[in-house]
Amino acid sequence: MLLEKTIAEVGTLYLEPMAEAKKRLDSLIKPPGSLGRLEELAVQLAGITGNPRPVVGDRVIIIMAGDHGVVAEGVSVAPQEITHQQIPAFLSGVAGIGVLGRLAGARLVVVDVGVAVPVDYPGVLNRKVRPGTGNIARGPAMTREEAVRSVEVGIEVVQGEIDRGATLIGLGDMGIGNTTPSSAIAAVLGGYTPEEVTGRGTLVNDQVLRQKIKVVAMALEVNRPDPADALDVLAKVGGLEIGGLAGVILGAAARRVPVVIDGFITTAAAMVAVALQPRVKEFMIASHLSGEQGHRLMLEYLGLVPMLYLNMRLGEGTGAALAMHLVEAACRVINEMASFSEAGIADLDEDKILK
Amino acid sequence: MLLEKTIAEVGTLYLEPMAEAKKRLDSLIKPPGSLGRLEELAVQLAGITGNPRPVVGDRVIIIMAGDHGVVAEGVSVAPQEITHQQIPAFLSGVAGIGVLGRLAGARLVVVDVGVAVPVDYPGVLNRKVRPGTGNIARGPAMTREEAVRSVEVGIEVVQGEIDRGATLIGLGDMGIGNTTPSSAIAAVLGGYTPEEVTGRGTLVNDQVLRQKIKVVAMALEVNRPDPADALDVLAKVGGLEIGGLAGVILGAAARRVPVVIDGFITTAAAMVAVALQPRVKEFMIASHLSGEQGHRLMLEYLGLVPMLYLNMRLGEGTGAALAMHLVEAACRVINEMASFSEAGIADLDEDKILK
């Protein structure tokens, strides 16, 4: 089975190229470590790719789109049809991710893994597992088989893009109502209360927020997902695009390609992927700290450190797109800066440096 | 006098273009405010430039270089000659800012405002006010007249660049030992203790850190700078490049051009500029939160919110360079995203949105 095979293929970071990258970084004309996270990123990329002087080539942002039966509970400001309506704006470049993906030099791949209505825009990959999930406040989102299939869609799509040359993957999501299942996943897998990980999404008012928290609690009560079984969690309280994104992470990690996660939804997908295979964590790069309540806890749970603090809460991969610039910066630093000896500059006084 | 004239020329933000920008942003196909700081940046740029659809044109990073007599007290890991030696690496593009400035699409302008030895590299602007400062642990850094002159150098340089078309300015610094006077400035103008705002700079060990804190305390004790007189503070415990950078901020603000500050040193310069003219704050953009102890306090004091959390501590303008991408992103969003009506997408349910 593709999922099990992919999980087994995920390896660990290559230590030797990491050590070599670290040595190079320490030789450059700057105090050791003074480029902070950029240096850590360069070392991580060396460990992922095996190249001690990592480079960023083709960038692809994979946007998984799906709908959510739970919108029947009044948890969202936006009507469900926006999921479907937004897709042409992604592809024509006038949505948030259209604009920021272009700035990042990334190609967008939009996948219908579970939009409620037929999507026939040219350029959208039709990988629909089912038209929207069930209402998680009343029953499961999908069957276990559908959950597996959604993850496999992500694996197939990302590996197809890697075959076509992608060397850096960003994650994006589209799905009206998808903060609610993401909160439910975070609560189950992270062991948080619904209050801790349920936020305002697209800035809903207090009344809708209370309703969302109630709905998350109902979803957990009605479905009783097993925290030790990520596929059970995904099937019972998840979403099709969340499964697809978990698959993208697994599929990229199995091929040793770095994955930039985005905000709340893609981090819920990351929790699913890590629950299926803890080693994928080493292949992920956190981009931004979302304005959505709970995102900080989820990143802490995963041990990921965000780089951008922009109070964004749009999703679509917009934070991942912005962070690609930082990934490129890390690669530029290790490849383009000179060493002290190359530049003929006096070295630092080792006796005075913090060890 | 140029300084007084420039201080008087600094205006306030234009409110009408800001309101127009805000209205446009709220009409775009995203929940209102969901691009967070990017939207705030676009509105600020509209207020600075008067253009409700702001764009980023020519970017220039101005790097002020100067030396510090206080290195005689053993406060730095690096030998003083590095200030001079690094300059060709900036211009040849192999220093940190050479690499990241190029990635940002920015031109670098390197100014010798106070390097201890003659600098005769082609392309460096010679605006030396004096060859390095005095040792602030034993007496003043410079005279009041020299302090004024250093600020005026910054005004002249930035306004020359604006005349040549610069529309976005980044600040960079080079000066071995310059975290020590920056800490002294932060302590005096911000009302902090030396311990609160003195950090490890280029990662000095505990012994050197203790020495730095002692030296900052000595500098305040020996010189007794007047916290109500920014030029007195700059002259007594400051630095020539810090004065130059304060001048760049004032000169850019007077011409209504946005200025991206960098880390610890340029934020000390920002404190001087704000003390001279509080209105400049509206023209500044914070880039990153430095790894240097005290930077967070200084930004809070100024009311500025950093966007990048990369634990960097290199200076040179590296954080400002990275943030230019975010400034560009903000402009792209307001200019390139479509509105709900333009895209033919259903609008949100206003009744459910947080007011």
Side-chain angles (χ1 to χ4, degrees), chain A residues 10-284:
Chain A
V10 176
T12 56
L13 298 187
Y14 294 134
L15 298 182
E16 219 165 296
M18 291 175 82
E20 210 178 315
K22 176 80 168 60
K23 197 175 154 199
R24 173 75 195 167
L25 288 163
D26 285 348
S27 77
L28 302 178
I29 48 172
K30 57 171 185 54
S34 60
L35 283 173
R37 285 281 292 139
L38 294 189
E39 297 191 36
E40 293 167 15
L41 255 182
V43 171
Q44 182 188 6
L45 293 170
I48 292 173
T49 63
N51 182 357
R53 303 280 283 261
V55 290
V56 174
D58 285 3
R59 300 144 208 216
V60 171
I61 296 171
I62 298 175
I63 304 169
M64 291 278 168
D67 275 309
H68 298 271
V70 73
V71 296
E73 305 294 330
V75 290
S76 181
V77 164
Q80 178 168 282
E81 57 262 36
I82 285 190
T83 303
H84 173 249
Q85 289 176 343
Q86 274 278 44
I87 289 174
F90 295 158
L91 294 168
S92 66
V94 298
I97 190 56
V99 172
L100 297 181
R102 187 162 57 239
L103 177 61
R107 193 159 52 83
L108 304 188
V109 173
V110 182
V111 185
D112 170 13
V113 62
V115 179
V117 296
V119 177
D120 58 359
Y121 302 122
V124 178
L125 290 182
N126 178 359
R127 297 289 183 279
K128 204 189 295 276
V129 173
R130 56 178 274 175
T133 55
N135 178 352
I136 60 173
R138 313 285 163 177
M142 61 190 107
T143 68
R144 187 179 183 94
E145 290 64 40
E146 287 163 341
V148 170
R149 184 68 204 125
S150 73
V151 177
E152 291 185 337
V153 162
I155 295 170
E156 288 162 0
V157 168
V158 75
Q159 296 194 338
E161 294 304 325
I162 292 167
D163 289 342
R164 272 181 275 192
T167 59
L168 180 64
I169 303 294
L171 301 184
D173 70 284
M174 181 65 218
I176 297 303
N178 64 8
T179 55
T180 298
S182 297
S183 295
I185 288 171
V188 181
L189 292 179
Y192 300 111
T193 64
E195 288 79 5
E196 286 174 310
V197 289
T198 305
R200 293 186 188 271
T202 55
L203 286 181
V204 299
N205 63 24
D206 288 349
Q207 189 187 338
V208 181
L209 176 60
R210 279 193 300 271
Q211 171 69 359
K212 277 182 76 175
I213 293 170
K214 202 179 97 187
V215 165
V216 171
M218 278 170 72
L220 303 185
E221 178 65 29
V222 166
N223 290 291
R224 305 233 159 245
D226 175 2
D229 180 353
L231 291 171
D232 188 59
V233 176
L234 179 63
K236 286 179 174 163
V237 300
L240 294 150
E241 80 278 44
I242 298 170
L245 291 162
V248 171
I249 296 169
L250 288 163
R255 292 285 188 90
R256 308 195 73 88
V257 170
V259 185
V260 185
I261 64 173
D262 187 44
F264 195 68
I265 315 303
T266 63
T267 306
M271 290 178 78
V272 172
V274 168
L276 290 168
Q277 171 51 281
R279 291 198 295 271
V280 297
K281 216 191 73 179
E282 308 297 328
F283 297 82
M284 294 196 294

Side-chain angles (χ1 to χ4, degrees), chain A residues 102 203 310 336 352 354, chain B residues 37 102 203 205 336 354:
Chain A
R102 187 162 57 239
L203 286 181
L310 296 169
E336 299 180 12
K352 291 183 178 167
L354 186 72
Chain B
R37 286 280 292 137
R102 187 162 57 240
L203 286 181
N205 62 26
E336 298 181 11
L354 186 71

Side-chain angles (χ1 to χ4, degrees), chain B residues 163-174:
Chain B
D163 288 342
R164 271 181 276 191
T167 59
L168 180 64
I169 303 294
L171 301 183
D173 71 285
M174 181 65 218

Side-chain angles (χ1 to χ4, degrees), chain B residues 3-38:
Chain B
L3 176 54
E4 274 136 28
K5 181 173 161 285
T6 306
I7 288 172
E9 280 170 359
V10 176
T12 56
L13 297 186
Y14 295 133
L15 299 181
E16 218 164 296
M18 290 175 81
E20 210 177 314
K22 177 78 167 62
K23 195 174 157 200
R24 173 75 194 167
L25 288 163
D26 285 347
S27 78
L28 302 178
I29 48 172
K30 56 170 186 54
S34 60
L35 283 172
R37 286 280 292 137
L38 293 188

Side-chain angles (χ1 to χ4, degrees), chain A residues 29-38 74 76-79 81-82 85-86 89 93-96 99-100 102-103 200 202-206 208 306-314 316 318 321-322 325-326 328-329 332-333 336-338 340 344-349 351-354, chain B residues 29-38 74 76-79 81-82 85-86 89 93-96 99-100 102-103 200 202-206 208 306-314 316 318 321-322 325-326 328-329 332-333 336-338 340 344-349 351-354:
Chain A
I29 48 172
K30 57 171 185 54
S34 60
L35 283 173
R37 285 281 292 139
L38 294 189
S76 181
V77 164
E81 57 262 36
I82 285 190
Q85 289 176 343
Q86 274 278 44
V94 298
V99 172
L100 297 181
R102 187 162 57 239
L103 177 61
R200 293 186 188 271
T202 55
L203 286 181
V204 299
N205 63 24
D206 288 349
V208 181
M307 300 183 285
L308 293 157
Y309 280 58
L310 296 169
N311 196 30
M312 297 189 345
R313 47 170 75 246
L314 178 56
E316 301 180 1
T318 47
L322 290 172
H325 186 73
L326 302 174
E328 173 155 15
R332 296 279 196 110
V333 161
E336 299 180 12
M337 277 185 73
F340 280 99
I345 293 177
D347 214 337
L348 308 179
D349 182 349
D351 289 349
K352 291 183 178 167
I353 294 181
L354 186 72
Chain B
I29 48 172
K30 56 170 186 54
S34 60
L35 283 172
R37 286 280 292 137
L38 293 188
S76 180
V77 165
E81 57 262 36
I82 285 189
Q85 289 176 342
Q86 275 278 44
V94 298
V99 172
L100 297 181
R102 187 162 57 240
L103 177 61
R200 293 185 188 270
T202 55
L203 286 181
V204 299
N205 62 26
D206 288 349
V208 182
M307 301 183 284
L308 292 157
Y309 280 57
L310 296 168
N311 196 29
M312 296 189 345
R313 46 169 75 243
L314 179 56
E316 301 180 1
T318 46
L322 290 173
H325 186 73
L326 302 174
E328 174 155 15
R332 295 280 196 107
V333 161
E336 298 181 11
M337 278 185 72
F340 280 100
I345 292 178
D347 213 337
L348 307 179
D349 183 348
D351 290 348
K352 290 183 178 168
I353 292 183
L354 186 71

